Amino acid sequence: MSYKTNKIIIAIDGHSSCGKSTVAKEIAQKLNYIFIDSGAMYRAVTLYCLRNNLIDNGIVDIPNLMDNLGKIKVYFLYNPETRHNDIWLNGDNVENEIRLLAVSQNVSPVAAVAGVRHLLVDLQQEMGKSKEIVMDGRDIGTVVFPDAELKIFMTAKPDVRAKRRYDELTAKGEKVSYDEIMENIIERDRYDETRTESPLRKADDAIILDNSYMTREEQLQWILSRIEEI
Ligand code: CDP
């Protein structure tokens, strides 16, 4: 069934690995909206840092990164095979590489750098100019689109999130342990919630969705009902 709505912006924020992008993609498909995974943009900048030795042991070389910011081109291009937009970094399709655990383990300090956030938030706001967009991340309802018509704050129990991410990565053949994933999601949440620049927090007008015990279909229907209400 396809839905007709007024042109709106849907902002989905929340904790690491709780399935924001999965449901955001499904909603965008139903509404024929654009879907933007803002986390992919922070991950692509992190990949640039890893490739160029701008991060060492979780410490970002901020002056060097700032000097190179103009050289970092992050954009989405439609992939006709998957029928989704893939993320590109300076001419490379990095859609798969950005999901590696090595990137997850370094992304939070990169995303805490004010200059990086300004660059990416500008791009995100540009993408939302004509509305009809579903964007997920950490600061979409608070900073990127504070006037979004629908704001959802997603969460789930840490063990449920770790299990889902473990299944996702091992299904792709990555050699990871459940424990290191659990450690990474807890550490990332802590880092994202306590940083000075745009910390992860629920917008006052966001509605909470805890999907610990929900199926994909149930959470999709839950959000579609909220869309119908507005
Ligand atoms: O999918 P997952 O929950 O693993 O994370 P993600 O959405 O890909 O985001 C990766 C990281 O990027 C987060 O842990 C944040 O540090 C950062 N991020 C952010 O700071 N602001 C956003 N709008 C999106 C992501």
Side-chain angles (χ1 to χ4, degrees), residues 41 116-127 144:
M41 301 169 78
V116 170
R117 302 207 72 81
H118 294 161
L119 172 79
L120 298 186
V121 168
D122 280 354
L123 290 173
Q124 291 154 7
Q125 289 177 334
E126 190 60 39
M127 295 172 191
V144 181

Side-chain angles (χ1 to χ4, degrees), residues 15-18 20-21 37-40 42-43 99 107-108 111 117 124 136-140 165 188 192 195:
H15 290 117
S16 305
S17 314
C18 61
K20 298 180 295 293
S21 296
D37 172 1
S38 69
Y42 290 94
R43 286 173 176 272
R99 314 280 168 200
V107 63
S108 285
R117 302 207 72 81
Q124 291 154 7
D136 80 291
R138 302 292 185 287
D139 60 342
I140 310 306
R165 186 53 53 98
R188 231 155 17 101
D192 295 343
R195 69 186 177 210

